[in-house]
Amino acid sequence: MEEILLEVKNLKVKAEKEEILKGVNLKIKKGEFHVLLGPNGSGKTVLVQTIFGNPKYKVIEGKIIFEGKNITKLSPEKRAKLGMALSWQNPPKIKGVKLSQLLKKISKKKVEIKEAEYLLDKEINVDISGGERKISELLQVLSLDPKFAVLDEIDSGLDIKKIEKVAEIIKKEFLEKKVSVLLITHRGEILNFLKPHFVEVMISGKVVCKSSDFKKILKTIKKYGYEKCRKCIQKI
């Protein structure tokens, strides 16, 4: 039996006084590739930030377990040291610091991505395109040599050619090397180039649907919208 790497159990989370996550359950085994779909405001990014320990979000019930260890109360730094890495949806611009300088500080292993070589001498996320920012984020995540990577809206704002290029990097550098991945998206176009083990759909703070038949989920969402997922194509 394959070992579970990450498990989220009945996770309920508040931001200020509002309950955003309302009992989220999620299991990802070692080497698995999951995609979390959902409309804007469904709680996808809050889930990610909670998994990584953002203190802005308060866990009021439930657990986050990584490699059998309860990490719900661990600091973000300690979670990162366990082998967790996050690609930010909107990474900041850092003037005066080159990407090569950052990688020298954070890298646990040397990673070479041909498409990213010319970005090394550029300031981080300064005067580069959206697609270049996404590739830069992927390079940073890979340099941390993670066991588990979350790619938050990695296809957001990209045209289809850039999405294909990002998908190629994910396939070659993450999936073929058996890094467990949770990819967050509300568009789903990237699934034209990648095949996940499972797709989960999140609506109003809960995972309402899970299926290995990602094409069926995408077809249903395209035809009926996310509200159809409240009835769940395939019950968890």
Side-chain angles (χ1 to χ4, degrees):
M1 182 180 293
E2 292 182 66
E3 187 177 349
I4 294 172
L5 182 69
L6 176 79
E7 184 172 8
V8 176
K9 290 185 174 182
N10 193 36
L11 193 65
K12 297 182 181 179
V13 173
K14 279 187 176 181
E16 297 180 351
K17 295 182 179 180
E18 181 183 1
E19 185 176 326
I20 300 175
L21 302 185
K22 303 172 182 178
V24 173
N25 292 287
L26 182 69
K27 287 183 182 181
I28 299 176
K29 295 179 180 179
K30 289 187 176 181
E32 277 189 342
F33 172 35
H34 286 234
V35 171
L36 184 62
L37 290 164
N40 288 328
S42 61
K44 303 186 303 297
T45 295
V46 173
L47 173 60
V48 169
Q49 291 295 316
T50 303
I51 289 172
F52 280 82
N54 188 331
K56 177 180 176 181
Y57 303 107
K58 183 179 179 181
V59 176
I60 56 176
E61 190 174 323
K63 296 178 181 180
I64 303 166
I65 298 170
F66 188 76
E67 290 192 313
K69 180 180 180 179
N70 187 346
I71 65 169
T72 312
K73 295 183 180 180
L74 285 187
S75 68
E77 293 79 11
K78 288 182 178 179
R79 298 184 199 208
K81 287 180 180 179
L82 292 175
M84 302 169 64
L86 169 64
S87 167
W88 293 86
Q89 180 179 352
N90 297 302
K93 295 180 180 180
I94 306 177
K95 293 185 177 181
V97 180
K98 293 182 178 180
L99 179 58
S100 59
Q101 294 173 312
L102 175 63
L103 294 178
K104 187 175 180 180
K105 286 286 187 181
I106 69 170
S107 291
K108 293 183 178 180
K109 72 171 185 177
K110 185 176 180 180
V111 178
E112 295 181 354
I113 298 178
K114 184 178 180 180
E115 294 83 356
E117 287 179 356
Y118 73 99
L119 295 173
L120 295 174
D121 288 329
K122 292 183 176 292
E123 295 175 308
I124 299 168
N125 298 323
V126 177
D127 296 327
I128 61 176
S129 69
E132 289 170 330
R133 283 198 298 274
K134 302 298 185 182
I135 292 173
S136 173
E137 281 288 295
L138 291 175
L139 181 57
Q140 292 170 55
V141 169
L142 287 166
S143 294
L144 294 170
D145 195 19
K147 300 174 184 176
F148 172 64
V150 173
L151 309 179
D152 191 4
E153 299 287 359
I154 197 70
D155 56 346
S156 177
L158 304 184
D159 61 33
I160 198 67
K161 288 186 178 180
K162 289 292 194 306
I163 290 174
E164 184 176 10
K165 179 56 66 179
V166 165
E168 286 177 4
I169 293 172
I170 293 171
K171 183 178 180 181
K172 180 180 178 181
E173 302 294 339
F174 290 86
L175 306 184
E176 291 181 0
K177 296 179 181 179
K178 303 300 181 182
V179 177
S180 297
V181 172
L182 176 62
L183 189 151
I184 313 295
T185 180
H186 72 274
R187 292 174 56 180
E189 283 96 336
I190 198 166
L191 297 185
N192 290 319
F193 309 104
L194 296 171
K195 183 179 179 181
H197 291 93
F198 291 100
V199 168
E200 284 99 348
V201 179
M202 196 167 190
I203 302 284
S204 301
K206 295 189 75 173
V207 175
V208 298
C209 183
K210 176 180 178 179
S211 178
S212 59
D213 190 350
F214 71 96
K215 291 182 179 179
K216 184 177 181 180
I217 284 190
L218 290 177
K219 183 178 179 180
T220 301
I221 291 171
K222 184 176 181 180
K223 186 174 181 179
Y224 300 104
Y226 279 106
E227 291 306 309
K228 181 74 172 179
C229 293
R230 291 185 182 276
K231 297 180 180 179
C232 193
I233 301 164
Q234 193 171 335
K235 292 293 183 182
I236 297 174

